[in-house]
Amino acid sequence: MRPAAGQHRMALALAGGGPLGAIYEIGTLMALSEALEGLDFNEIDAYVGVSAGSFIAAGLANGLSPAYLYRMFVDSESAELPFEPEMLLRPAFGEYAGRAASVPGLLFESFREYLRRPLRQGFLASFQRLSQAIPTGIFNNAGMDVFLQRLFSLPGLTNDFRQLKSRLFLIATDLDSGASVAFGSEGHDHVPIATAIRASAALPGLYPPVEIDGRWFVDGALKKTLHASVALKEGIRLVICINPLVPFDAGHASHEKHLKRRRLVDGGLPVVLAQTFRAIVHSRMKTGLEKYDIQYKDADVILFEPSRDDADMFFTNMFSYADRKRLTEQAYRKTREELLRRYDELAPKLARHGVSINRAVLTDPHRSLARRMAELKRRRARNMGLTALRLSDTLDELARALRRLQHRQKHQAA
């Protein structure tokens, strides 16, 4: 049985940002999981995921550790089920074909409309309906659904919101109404988690809308960036938020890092659009956070995000995996630095919820994410051969399955 809303204490809210955003979130989670004592990201009360953040949130809610997600997304050679970015870039041939097949009918209707009222309606206006033949998405994300179903079919994992021990909310936008829908909430928890992730990450223009129960859904970031209020309404009193996308401050970057100042206009339309999009979603997020301070005075909402002079996080293609280890390491290091810099601000807030910051971990000059992952790998492989290491992974999966079975038995008994 899930705990009542009043018993909820802590939640995690993850925003979108494509594969690059997921990589940043994993690096940040690795740093936070090491430094924050009393906070286990696999044992909190609620998770909220938007777009790419929905994938990470669903993994954590299913018991996958940040280290496991690192191996899956970043160090794919060591992952049992590696995430291949190519699955996100497959052309939506079905969408193309369906739209192309509609062209003859649309042409006929356009000609008929024009010939019927040639004086009242111009030639171009009559043929405006041909825009319906334009595909709604370039790529097909059905490959993601196949991958997610394979992932959630592993022992101890589930594709059913109702079988999770914690609340999981994956946000998408209803295309016909513009309303935000939290899959995993009452009335929307029958939808498979994998399908909800696809809907939450269906960025308009890149991916076609996803049909669920006769409705069409697109990316959950269209209305809000984080949707942390979904957790706050459930009685959560501490929400850790991670937002990977911030607008770039070229002037600050050139001053602080002594680099030649970049003019974003020189990057052409993609850079201009990226800066515009980031500025809009970030401004909207800041406004939302300010409202939380007023509406939920007894709750603490703590945000982690890249600095605005971080050129790597801005200029790296969000679908690129070429520099994923370096960028994850950078997110890990920057988060550690931020925890130290904000220690006096964050320590009292976290303490109210039984969480403390381990300064010794943060001030250790030898710590790095690469070393941490190598240490974890050595620990798992110590005195073991490859076969034994795989057996250890299998035992971990069986342990998760046992915990899931115990949870289901309790749920049925209740």
Side-chain angles (χ1 to χ4, degrees):
M1 177 183 294
R2 291 173 175 168
Q7 294 174 296
H8 289 175
R9 295 183 60 235
M10 292 181 280
L12 178 68
L14 301 174
L20 182 64
I23 286 172
Y24 173 84
E25 289 173 345
I26 290 170
T28 300
L29 287 167
M30 288 294 295
L32 295 176
S33 63
E34 285 183 7
L36 299 184
E37 298 183 344
L39 176 59
D40 183 337
F41 285 112
N42 292 124
E43 298 293 336
I44 57 179
D45 300 292
Y47 303 83
V48 180
V50 181
S51 197
S54 65
F55 191 113
I56 306 300
L60 293 169
N62 256 296
L64 301 180
S65 68
Y68 188 103
L69 294 171
Y70 177 93
R71 292 196 299 272
M72 180 186 297
F73 273 88
V74 183
D75 189 14
S76 56
E77 293 180 358
S78 66
E80 175 189 2
L81 188 61
F83 182 85
E84 301 294 343
E86 292 80 8
M87 74 177 71
L88 301 175
L89 302 176
R90 294 169 183 164
F93 290 122
E95 174 72 6
Y96 302 163
R99 297 287 169 171
S102 69
V103 171
L106 292 172
L107 274 173
F108 175 78
E109 291 295 328
S110 298
F111 272 116
R112 188 172 67 173
E113 182 72 18
Y114 177 68
L115 294 175
R116 181 186 302 168
R117 295 182 296 179
L119 299 179
R120 293 184 57 188
Q121 192 165 351
F123 183 81
L124 292 178
S126 298
F127 284 81
Q128 185 177 1
R129 72 183 63 211
L130 284 174
S131 63
Q132 297 174 30
I134 300 175
T136 56
I138 300 173
F139 302 113
N140 180 4
N141 61 2
M144 183 195 303
D145 192 54
V146 174
F147 172 84
L148 290 169
Q149 289 190 36
R150 287 179 59 198
L151 174 65
F152 295 138
S153 66
L154 293 175
L157 276 63
T158 180
N159 199 22
D160 190 334
F161 286 99
R162 296 163 294 189
Q163 297 300 327
L164 296 170
K165 64 181 180 181
S166 300
R167 301 303 301 272
L168 171 64
F169 303 101
L170 304 180
I171 314 301
T173 304
D174 187 318
L175 184 62
D176 291 322
S177 69
S180 296
V181 174
F183 291 106
S185 62
E186 185 176 354
H188 299 286
D189 55 0
H190 65 287
V191 177
I193 294 173
T195 304
I197 292 174
R198 281 185 59 216
S200 181
L203 184 64
L206 283 182
Y207 300 106
V210 175
E211 184 180 9
I212 300 175
D213 294 339
R215 308 285 294 183
W216 295 92
F217 293 89
V218 293
D219 197 295
L222 262 61
K223 290 199 68 174
K224 293 182 181 180
T225 304
L226 280 166
H227 291 271
S229 59
V230 173
L232 292 168
K233 290 175 182 177
E234 291 290 312
I236 297 294
R237 291 297 171 260
L238 172 64
V239 184
I240 303 294
C241 302
I242 304 178
N243 169 51
L245 298 183
V246 298
F248 181 64
D249 188 335
H252 190 264
S254 63
H255 180 267
E256 291 295 319
K257 300 183 179 180
H258 307 289
L259 300 174
K260 181 180 179 180
R261 180 163 184 166
R262 301 188 188 214
R263 297 193 314 167
L264 297 187
V265 70
D266 294 337
L269 181 61
V271 172
V272 172
L273 289 178
Q275 179 75 333
T276 302
F277 175 75
R278 288 167 182 250
I280 291 173
V281 299
H282 194 262
S283 173
R284 184 180 60 186
M285 181 194 68
K286 287 294 187 183
T287 300
L289 291 175
E290 291 171 359
K291 290 181 179 179
Y292 298 157
D293 289 338
I294 299 173
Q295 296 174 350
Y296 304 98
K297 294 181 180 180
D298 56 344
D300 292 303
V301 180
I302 300 176
L303 173 68
F304 293 92
E305 60 184 7
S307 60
R308 295 187 56 175
D309 60 2
D310 192 333
D312 286 332
M313 279 299 297
F314 182 80
F315 288 101
T316 299
N317 186 309
M318 68 170 58
F319 286 95
S320 171
Y321 269 65
D323 297 321
R324 57 185 183 266
K325 286 189 178 181
R326 179 178 59 83
L327 291 174
T328 313
E329 183 76 54
Q330 181 171 305
Y332 172 87
R333 177 173 52 84
K334 292 288 187 180
T335 303
R336 286 166 52 82
E337 293 173 357
E338 183 175 356
L339 283 170
L340 269 179
R341 186 180 69 253
R342 298 173 61 189
Y343 180 86
D344 291 339
E345 168 207 347
L346 297 179
K349 290 183 179 180
L350 292 169
R352 289 198 286 268
H353 309 278
V355 179
S356 61
I357 302 176
N358 189 328
R359 297 195 68 160
V361 168
L362 296 175
T363 54
D364 182 352
H366 304 295
R367 277 186 178 261
S368 70
L369 184 52
R371 288 182 179 178
R372 174 62 176 160
M373 293 307 299
E375 176 188 340
L376 291 174
K377 190 173 183 178
R378 286 195 301 271
R379 187 181 301 172
R380 294 169 64 229
R382 186 175 297 139
N383 300 321
M384 296 169 116
L386 180 59
T387 302
L389 184 58
R390 288 174 176 168
L391 177 60
S392 175
D393 289 338
T394 302
L395 291 174
D396 287 342
E397 292 170 6
L398 289 174
R400 288 198 302 268
L402 180 60
R403 289 197 299 270
R404 186 75 60 203
L405 179 60
Q406 292 172 339
H407 172 67
R408 288 176 182 173
Q409 290 174 339
K410 291 180 180 178
H411 181 76
Q412 292 172 354

